[in-house]
Amino acid sequence: MLFFTQCFGAVLDLIHLRFQHYKAKRVFSAAGQLVCVVNPTHSLKYAPTRCAAVQASAEQGILPPCHHHEAVHDPQLVPCTCPLFSCPWEGHLEVVVSHLRQTHRISILQGAEIVFLATDMHLPAPTDWIIMHSCLGHQFLLVLRKQEKYEGHPQFFATMMLIGTPTQANNFTYRLELNRNQRRLKWEATPRSILECVDSVISDGDCLVLNTSLAQLFSDNGSLAIGIAITTSKVHSSEAEI
């Protein structure tokens, strides 16, 4: 009976996954787009993270002892960039992707255009949906967070971070698109470097921001499909030459 129960549960999970893929394909009619179903994870980083400590110190006018954000090409170790946990890990920027995949089990999807399908949007804040996106020879971290910026008023924040330096990030442009019920909403911007801290990007509002009613307008049975496209930015190249 135990064996039968486990197998039956696995079959139900597979059916649910296939159904979520079908819904995403229906929302985004573009053929050939890769779909990634992302389950929510409640944030466990209530203990002050290194990034949060740096931000709090800056607001109080106190300089923190570590300045790893200032030097773009500094070979010093950087802290874990996963916004979910208070992870004590430190390492070089080149091995951040391996740490995120092996330690935090964050999925990675390849392709110029993908569909990010976040499930269970009704869960209380704070909740995160995270995936890595491999494109154009670089890795990006997409973070969708449900957070109460004002008490009793949760909002959704979506941003794309390059796992690289700010100089490298300026070479790309990312687009987030929501499309449902003959409505379309797009956000286009330059990705921020993972060295700049996800928390600060969200607190500054330099990302796609949705209130609850707007998120419900584009959601389908509690799931939110976000189309993602990344391109190289020729504008920044020409500006640099000038």
Side-chain angles (χ1 to χ4, degrees):
M1 289 296 295
L2 180 61
F3 176 76
F4 175 78
T5 302
Q6 291 178 344
C7 290
F8 185 69
V11 172
L12 288 180
D13 290 341
L14 180 60
I15 294 175
H16 177 70
L17 183 63
R18 294 292 296 177
F19 178 68
Q20 295 288 358
H21 275 78
Y22 169 75
K23 289 198 303 181
K25 288 292 186 179
R26 185 183 61 189
V27 174
F28 286 83
S29 58
Q33 279 188 309
L34 298 175
V35 179
C36 184
V37 179
V38 184
N39 295 320
T41 304
H42 283 283
S43 179
L44 302 177
K45 57 167 190 166
Y46 293 106
T49 60
R50 186 184 308 273
C51 187
V54 171
Q55 184 177 359
S57 299
E59 293 175 354
Q60 298 175 4
I62 304 175
L63 292 177
C66 177
H67 305 285
H68 57 268
H69 292 79
E70 296 179 1
V72 174
H73 301 289
D74 196 330
Q76 292 183 358
L77 302 180
V78 296
C80 175
T81 55
C82 183
L84 290 176
F85 308 99
S86 297
C87 180
W89 179 89
E90 288 185 335
H92 293 284
L93 189 60
E94 294 77 11
V95 295
V96 168
V97 174
S98 299
H99 170 73
L100 293 177
R101 297 194 65 183
Q102 296 174 6
T103 303
H104 300 296
R105 305 297 182 186
I106 295 180
S107 302
I108 185 169
L109 202 63
Q110 297 184 358
E113 296 185 8
I114 66 174
V115 176
F116 177 95
L117 184 63
T119 65
D120 300 324
M121 302 293 294
H122 61 278
L123 291 178
T127 305
D128 291 318
W129 295 259
I130 298 178
I131 191 177
M132 282 193 293
H133 183 188
S134 179
C135 178
L136 300 175
H138 290 77
Q139 283 72 40
F140 301 82
L141 190 70
L142 177 68
V143 179
L144 173 64
R145 175 173 300 172
K146 184 178 184 180
Q147 178 176 306
E148 288 189 358
K149 202 164 187 180
Y150 304 101
E151 186 176 357
H153 299 280
Q155 293 177 303
F156 293 89
F157 303 85
T159 185
M160 182 75 76
M161 310 287 291
L162 173 71
I163 303 180
T165 66
T167 301
Q168 292 173 325
N170 287 333
N171 295 324
F172 299 95
T173 299
Y174 75 95
R175 185 180 74 248
L176 304 180
E177 179 178 339
L178 294 91
N179 188 352
R180 185 173 181 268
N181 292 336
Q182 299 181 345
R183 297 177 178 87
R184 179 174 296 180
L185 179 64
K186 290 184 180 181
W187 166 268
E188 186 171 295
T190 300
R192 302 280 286 272
S193 167
I194 201 70
L195 300 177
E196 299 180 52
C197 182
V198 176
D199 290 342
S200 62
V201 174
I202 291 178
S203 62
D204 293 341
D206 187 16
C207 56
L208 174 63
V209 182
L210 304 172
N211 57 31
T212 304
S213 59
L214 192 58
Q216 291 177 349
L217 188 63
F218 285 98
S219 64
D220 184 12
N221 292 328
S223 297
L224 186 67
I226 304 177
I228 307 170
I230 300 177
T231 57
T232 55
S233 178
K234 297 180 181 179
V235 176
H236 292 287
S237 310
S238 59
E239 288 180 352
E241 294 175 358
I242 295 176

